[in-house]
Amino acid sequence: MDTKEVRFMSAILAAAAEYELELHAERQVEGIAAAKRRQESGQMLHGKKHIGRPGRSSPTTRF
C-alpha cells in the first residue's frame, strides 16, 4: 500500500531513526573525550590504566 499516509509515516520514522543515530554518535564522541580527559588527569576507573583494547600477552594468544 503506497498511500500518502504511509509515505508520511515512513518519512517520520526515517527522520526519528536518523535523529537517534546522530545522538548516539554525539554521545560516543563525548564519552571518548571524557575518557581521554580522565586518563590524562589520572582519574581512570579502578584497575584501568589506559583506554582501548588490551594488548596481546604473547604472540600465540588470540582474541
Side-chain angles (χ1 to χ4, degrees):
M1 197 172 357
D2 191 25
T3 64
K4 62 183 173 242
E5 291 86 6
V6 172
R7 287 192 307 271
F8 175 73
M9 186 55 87
S10 296
I12 295 295
L13 292 174
E18 186 176 350
Y19 175 73
E20 286 293 326
L21 188 64
E22 289 177 8
L23 276 179
H24 178 73
E26 189 177 299
R27 289 181 186 137
Q28 184 177 13
V29 168
E30 290 172 358
I32 290 170
K36 286 181 179 180
R37 284 193 305 271
R38 283 193 306 270
Q39 184 179 15
E40 289 170 359
S41 67
Q43 297 176 346
M44 290 298 290
L45 296 174
H46 181 69
K48 293 279 192 177
K49 295 188 185 330
H50 72 285
I51 300 171
R53 181 176 175 177
R56 289 185 171 188
S57 59
S58 69
T60 58
T61 304
R62 296 187 66 164
F63 289 99

